[in-house]
Amino acid sequence: MEKVKIGAITVGQSPRVDVTPDLWPIFGPNVELIEAGGLDGLSREEIETFVPEEGDYVLVSRLKDGSSVTFAERYVLPRLQQCIDKLEEEGVRLILFFCTGDFPDNFRHKVPLIFPNQILFGLVPVLCAGKLAVLTPSEKQLQQSQKKWGGYGLEVTSFAASPYGELAAVEAAAREAAKTDADLVLLDCIGYTAEMKRMVAKITGKNVILSRTILARAVMELLDY
């Protein structure tokens, strides 16, 4: 069977070798994944000039060397459009985003763009009985997280724990989440792994949603083989 080409865009640098191992069991052997990154080709020094200021939407992502960076979304938006154009030239059937951040709806595209946030916005309020605990990568995103999920009538408690550092940070956030009466925990970043999900579920005793696998399963609904 001929493989189906799908594109994947990270706001950081590609390839996202930290993400794809959890996706391949869902995608299966008939998917060819072509990746592009909003920060591809940039040095850390260049990226570190993309400092978030008051009112900026804050993103955290991974670089090719495995380290992470925090930056303002506005700096990367034109480069994301370039990624879309490049992947469409490669003949992809659809493009998914390896980021759970909010993005404007004015990207030019000919194929479907699949944003994890839009999937989560539809899913989380349905699966949550009313009290949500959220893990997000940076303390700079805590207020952003409260605003993002509080608008759905949910009682939200957010915790900062980078998925790109020591596992102990995620473990500590899980222990804090366990102290809440939340009925659902959301790992609100593509960087969180299936291993982290299992750990958080064990520590908290709560239901846990992992963004990267939800994205992959939604994409497979669109592929008709």
Side-chain angles (χ1 to χ4, degrees):
M1 182 179 295
E2 184 177 354
K3 289 191 174 185
V4 178
K5 287 184 180 181
I6 63 174
I9 295 175
T10 174
V11 296
Q13 291 180 336
S14 64
R16 288 298 299 269
V17 296
D18 61 312
V19 174
T20 50
D22 285 334
L23 305 188
W24 287 121
I26 300 171
F27 284 157
N30 296 320
V31 167
E32 178 183 354
L33 189 66
I34 304 174
E35 297 184 55
L39 300 179
D40 283 354
L42 297 179
S43 67
R44 171 172 283 278
E45 290 71 26
E46 290 173 306
I47 296 166
E48 287 178 347
T49 66
F50 299 167
V51 180
E53 298 177 356
E54 184 72 27
D56 276 332
Y57 191 85
V58 179
L59 296 175
V60 178
S61 193
R62 183 182 186 273
L63 300 185
K64 190 175 291 187
D65 64 6
S67 64
S68 65
V69 287
T70 302
F71 53 99
E73 181 187 68
R74 58 189 168 91
Y75 289 107
V76 79
L77 291 176
R79 299 179 64 87
L80 296 180
Q81 181 62 62
Q82 293 171 9
C83 291
I84 294 170
D85 296 341
K86 175 184 175 182
L87 291 173
E88 288 186 336
E89 290 175 2
E90 293 278 351
V92 299
R93 179 165 168 181
L94 54 83
I95 296 172
L96 55 96
F97 274 68
F98 280 168
C99 181
T100 63
D102 278 326
F103 294 95
D105 59 3
N106 57 357
F107 288 121
R108 301 185 311 275
H109 60 99
K110 300 174 184 176
V111 301
L113 303 181
I114 313 299
F115 295 97
N117 238 17
Q118 295 177 358
I119 298 169
L120 292 170
F121 285 159
L123 186 66
V124 169
V126 174
L127 297 182
C128 183
K131 297 183 179 181
L132 177 69
V134 182
L135 268 62
T136 192
S138 170
E139 290 187 2
K140 294 180 179 180
Q141 296 174 304
L142 288 176
Q143 185 177 359
Q144 196 168 278
S145 176
Q146 292 286 137
K147 180 179 179 181
K148 174 179 176 179
W149 293 106
Y152 287 83
L154 303 174
E155 183 178 321
V156 182
T157 308
S158 299
F159 304 92
S162 174
Y164 304 118
E166 297 294 329
L167 192 61
V170 179
E171 180 179 358
R175 295 194 184 284
E176 290 302 310
K179 299 175 184 177
T180 73
D181 57 355
D183 57 274
L184 183 69
V185 180
L186 170 63
L187 304 185
D188 195 6
C189 176
I190 288 293
Y192 294 112
T193 67
E195 178 187 3
M196 293 173 185
K197 175 182 178 178
R198 290 189 290 268
M199 181 184 70
V200 172
K202 182 177 181 180
I203 290 173
T204 64
K206 304 177 189 294
N207 294 322
V208 181
I209 290 181
L210 180 62
S211 299
R212 62 171 59 173
T213 46
I214 288 293
L215 171 65
R217 291 187 174 100
V219 166
M220 291 309 293
E221 285 296 314
L222 299 181
L223 304 181
D224 57 3
Y225 61 82

